[in-house]
């Protein structure tokens, strides 16, 4: 094997490993989108009601979105989290000079919630199904796992190529990484579109802002790494095969 192709193969493997780690970390963390709002230190009946509704298994999209807006919420592919005072009271506590201790409370999205229909008016089941937001949500949930699976399968083929001491099978690895990059890019695009459509229907309250978090950024970085790894795998395999064919023809001649 030519040193050029071996070097390209090693660089592609490193890029693939980094993108896999980034993608796995992105899937497993809860900071795809973050809301910034004034800290709610008052444990009023209204606040406690919102917290209880947020933690309920029957919370709909509007219920948990309102809680995310008000309590510095973060959203991932699997979980939603809010930040609330650690100690709650059934009465208004006396004024304190120090700030309340804040804790993060998280709730997981069930599989039923992941595939549940989204409504034209969030929380209003009589407003009709919003097919666009429904399929955007499902794609943003499924595509990262497809991407991760394709990369793992591509790594298996690459391992077989190393055992066989041949670069040619890595063309399949490159194609799988290309498909994985497209899935990652599609997931990111679906997430951005879904968030924008949600905010059009549920406007952010005053003094509340939102931004994409570092989990989302990891997914964004993972996509170009997958494309670069794909290009190196395909180039190394194709060029090595071409040179081998020319050399074989030369020897025959």
């Amino acid at each position: 094997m030519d040193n050029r192709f071996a070097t390209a193969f090693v660089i592609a493997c490193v890029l693939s490993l980094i993108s896999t780690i980034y993608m796995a970390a992105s899937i497993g963390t809860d900071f795809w989108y973050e809301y910034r709002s004034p800290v709610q230190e008052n444990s009023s009946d209204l606040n406690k009601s919102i917290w209880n509704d947020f933690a309920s298994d029957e919370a709909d999209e509007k219920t948990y979105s309102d809680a995310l807006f008000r309590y510095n919420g973060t959203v991932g592919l699997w979980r939603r989290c809010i930040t609330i005072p650690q100690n709650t009271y059934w009465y208004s506590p006396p004024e304190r000079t120090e700030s309340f201790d804040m804790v993060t409370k998280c709730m997981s999205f069930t599989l039923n919630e992941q595939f549940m229909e989204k409504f034209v008016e969030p929380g209003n089941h009589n407003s009709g199904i919003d097919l666009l937001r429904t399929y955007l949500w499902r794609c943003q949930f499924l595509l990262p796992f497809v991407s991760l699976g394709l990369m793992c399968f591509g790594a298996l083929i690459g391992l077989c190529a190393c055992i066989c001491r041949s670069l040619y099978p890595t063309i399949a690895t490159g194609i799988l990484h290309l498909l994985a990059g497209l899935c990652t890019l599609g997931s990111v695009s679906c997430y951005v579109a879904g968030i924008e459509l949600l905010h059009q229907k549920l406007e952010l309250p005053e003094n509340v802002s939102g931004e994409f978090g570092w989990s989302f950024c990891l997914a964004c970085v993972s996509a170009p790494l997958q494309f670069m790894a794909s290009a190196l795998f395909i180039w190394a395999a194709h060029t090595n095969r071409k040179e081998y064919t020319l050399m074989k023809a030369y020897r025959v001649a």
Side-chain angles (χ1 to χ4, degrees):
M1 184 187 299
D2 194 299
N3 287 337
R4 293 175 301 161
F5 306 134
T7 302
F9 182 77
V10 171
I11 294 174
C13 288
V14 172
L15 292 175
S16 175
L17 178 61
I18 294 174
S19 66
T20 302
I21 293 173
Y22 282 3
M23 199 65 220
S26 176
I27 292 173
T29 50
D30 310 320
F31 298 91
W32 279 66
Y33 202 85
E34 304 177 31
Y35 294 98
R36 295 286 180 264
S37 57
V39 177
Q40 300 283 341
E41 294 188 346
N42 180 19
S43 301
S44 64
D45 290 339
L46 175 60
N47 287 337
K48 287 195 291 290
S49 175
I50 294 176
W51 301 339
N52 291 334
D53 290 341
F54 176 82
S56 172
D57 293 334
E58 299 179 355
D60 57 31
E61 186 181 25
K62 186 177 188 307
T63 299
Y64 67 71
S65 294
D66 287 342
L68 291 171
F69 296 163
R70 292 169 61 93
Y71 302 105
N72 292 294
T74 61
V75 188
L77 297 180
W78 279 97
R79 297 200 305 174
R80 56 186 185 268
C81 303
I82 57 174
T83 303
I84 61 175
Q86 183 174 10
N87 299 315
T88 57
Y89 302 87
W90 291 103
Y91 58 90
S92 296
E95 293 184 0
R96 298 170 54 182
T97 55
E98 68 273 16
S99 61
F100 282 64
D101 293 329
M102 308 299 288
V103 295
T104 300
K105 299 292 186 182
C106 297
M107 287 293 296
S108 298
F109 291 107
T110 64
L111 282 177
N112 185 41
E113 288 177 318
Q114 296 285 10
F115 293 98
M116 186 179 294
E117 294 84 0
K118 304 296 179 183
F119 298 99
V120 175
E121 296 178 10
N124 184 358
H125 293 210
N126 297 321
S127 60
I129 297 175
D130 190 330
L131 291 178
L132 177 58
R133 291 202 308 120
T134 296
Y135 285 103
L136 284 174
W137 181 279
R138 293 175 182 176
C139 288
Q140 77 183 27
F141 167 70
L142 290 174
L143 287 178
F145 291 99
V146 175
S147 174
L148 203 57
L150 288 171
M151 284 191 292
C152 291
F153 187 51
L156 184 62
I157 296 177
L159 181 61
C160 294
C162 291
I163 295 175
C164 297
R165 297 184 178 181
S166 172
L167 276 177
Y168 192 65
T170 56
I171 287 183
T173 302
I175 293 173
L176 289 174
H177 276 70
L178 177 62
L179 295 176
L182 292 174
C183 288
T184 303
L185 191 61
S187 176
V188 168
S189 301
C190 289
Y191 195 86
V192 172
I195 286 290
E196 292 299 324
L197 290 174
L198 175 63
H199 290 168
Q200 290 178 11
K201 297 177 181 297
L202 295 177
E203 294 185 2
L204 295 179
E206 189 177 356
N207 298 326
V208 175
S209 61
E211 60 184 13
F212 293 99
W214 59 266
S215 299
F216 176 84
C217 294
L218 287 179
C220 291
V221 173
S222 180
L225 291 178
Q226 291 163 346
F227 288 133
M228 287 188 287
S230 171
L232 286 173
F233 279 130
I234 294 175
W235 174 82
H238 178 71
T239 308
N240 181 65
R241 182 70 177 180
K242 184 178 180 181
E243 290 196 1
Y244 174 78
T245 303
L246 291 174
M247 186 179 298
K248 187 177 180 180
Y250 175 76
R251 287 177 178 176
V252 172

